[in-house]
Amino acid sequence: MTKMDDNFKKAVKYIIDEGSFDVNPRPYWLEEDGSHTPAHTKFVTAYTNEYRLDKGEFPMLTLRPSPWKTAIKELFWIFIHPSNSIDELKEKYNIHYWDEWNVGDNTIGYRYGHTVKRFDLFNKLLDDIKNNPYGRRHILSLWQDIEFDEEEKGLHPCCFQTLWTVDGEYLDMTLIQRSGDLLGASIGINEIQYAGLLVMVAWECGYKPRKFTHFIQNLHIYDRHIPICEELCERETIECNPMLVIDTDKKSIFDLDINDFKMIGYPLNEIKEKNPQVKFPLAI
């Protein structure tokens, strides 16, 4: 069992046992006849997970295969070569699940990569860590009200803020997430992404990645996902200690591509055979 397997099972049990159902939800299910059905969730608040990357706790599931390459490629679209273009996301990175959030011009609006690029957020973060390592203001925030005011359409960022701390030879990071879909993203692809971002920023700035903390204000399971989550929790886990590493002679984070990353200690073929991927509907 990995740390993420354990965290996933604990979160499912906690939400089912202690959670509350929402009222008048924004998301909806798109039915086959084109009609909309409210997508209710059962949720808990102020939920936290922690991973010690220096102790082999990189967040990867064995309850189902973890799409780590997709997660890392999306980081490039948001932070490394920031863009809000859905066409670029599909053509350059072969990621298609943002299509439902097209605001009408083949973009996701003034969100994510658009915000990073407009305010030069990622370069500022790197410069701050390099030039003032023990500062307490290493913060990258995608929650920029001016963007929302100028472009009302578009999904407001879910993972919207990271806070970074240098401690000797180590770099720690905390992710703040306002809303987390447990099965679809939060304890899964989002944790892979931002633990991966910690690995990347530590590599660029000359540190070792250590502690990744994930705070989710509203962690939820959609009503139609509850049986799937329960099914996953019944699966037998596989003991492993995965770790994402950057294996390249390149010198800059801006020159990296997915081929420069390796996931070691993760028996993907065994996981695919024992715990195959599950399909589930996405609330829009």
Side-chain angles (χ1 to χ4, degrees):
M1 178 184 293
T2 65
K3 182 70 176 289
M4 183 185 270
D5 287 330
D6 187 47
N7 285 346
F8 182 89
K9 289 186 175 186
K10 288 178 179 177
V12 170
K13 178 174 172 49
Y14 183 51
I15 293 172
I16 290 176
D17 291 349
E18 306 287 341
S20 303
F21 277 102
D22 60 8
V23 179
N24 298 323
R26 176 197 59 79
Y28 60 85
W29 302 113
L30 181 60
E31 308 294 356
E32 291 184 1
D33 63 2
S35 62
H36 294 175
T37 303
H40 287 280
T41 63
K42 198 169 191 182
F43 71 94
V44 294
T45 63
Y47 198 87
T48 303
N49 283 331
E50 182 179 295
Y51 299 88
R52 287 291 300 265
L53 273 59
D54 60 325
K55 295 183 178 181
E57 294 181 352
F58 192 89
M60 295 283 284
L61 280 174
T62 71
L63 297 170
R64 60 179 172 124
S66 291
W68 69 270
K69 289 187 177 181
T70 297
I72 299 301
K73 287 190 289 185
E74 191 175 15
L75 287 178
F76 281 91
W77 181 63
I78 297 173
F79 294 107
I80 311 302
H81 307 292
S83 171
N84 63 346
S85 169
I86 293 174
D87 289 338
E88 181 176 336
L89 182 63
K90 291 190 288 189
E91 294 167 6
K92 190 173 181 179
Y93 302 107
N94 194 31
I95 296 175
H96 296 263
Y97 50 73
W98 275 98
D99 288 1
E100 300 295 343
W101 287 274
N102 188 336
V103 300
D105 60 357
N106 291 327
T107 77
I108 59 170
Y110 291 1
R111 305 292 189 266
Y112 290 101
H114 183 280
T115 306
V116 172
K117 185 175 183 178
R118 177 177 182 177
F119 299 105
D120 199 23
L121 297 179
F122 195 62
N123 279 311
K124 289 178 179 178
L125 173 70
L126 296 178
D127 289 344
D128 197 31
I129 293 173
K130 291 175 181 178
N131 296 319
N132 184 27
Y134 282 91
R136 299 172 184 170
R137 301 176 183 176
H138 305 318
I139 300 171
L140 192 157
S141 178
L142 301 177
W143 200 269
Q144 302 288 339
D145 286 328
I146 189 172
E147 295 273 84
F148 309 150
D149 292 341
E150 293 178 0
E151 171 64 273
E152 294 182 2
K153 296 179 182 178
L155 179 68
H156 281 43
C158 294
C159 298
F160 72 91
Q161 188 174 79
T162 54
L163 301 92
W164 307 74
T165 300
V166 171
D167 182 3
E169 61 182 333
Y170 296 104
L171 182 65
D172 299 336
M173 186 262 276
T174 297
L175 167 65
I176 309 296
Q177 185 167 0
R178 65 170 180 84
S179 174
D181 170 5
L182 175 61
L183 182 62
S186 58
I187 301 181
I189 194 165
N190 292 146
E191 291 190 339
I192 295 170
Q193 284 179 320
Y194 283 85
L197 189 63
L198 173 55
V199 170
M200 295 164 69
V201 172
W203 177 84
E204 169 70 17
C205 296
Y207 296 99
K208 297 177 182 178
R210 185 176 63 178
K211 183 163 62 175
F212 167 54
T213 305
H214 185 194
F215 175 88
I216 312 163
Q217 177 59 21
N218 182 300
L219 178 63
H220 51 263
I221 304 175
Y222 281 97
D223 48 10
R224 298 185 184 182
H225 293 172
I226 290 175
I228 303 170
C229 287
E230 292 176 325
E231 174 196 334
L232 286 174
C233 288
E234 293 300 317
R235 291 182 169 185
E236 185 178 346
T237 58
I238 297 172
E239 289 293 332
C240 61
N241 296 104
M243 186 61 206
L244 181 72
V245 298
I246 300 173
D247 184 13
T248 181
D249 293 330
K250 296 175 182 176
K251 304 299 182 184
S252 170
I253 195 171
F254 299 103
D255 294 330
L256 297 177
D257 60 50
I258 194 61
N259 297 315
D260 296 315
F261 295 83
K262 291 183 179 178
M263 185 65 68
I264 60 175
Y266 186 69
L268 180 58
N269 290 334
E270 182 183 354
I271 293 167
K272 285 181 176 179
E273 181 177 349
K274 187 174 183 179
N275 293 326
Q277 194 58 270
V278 294
K279 294 184 178 181
F280 52 88
L282 285 177
I284 301 172

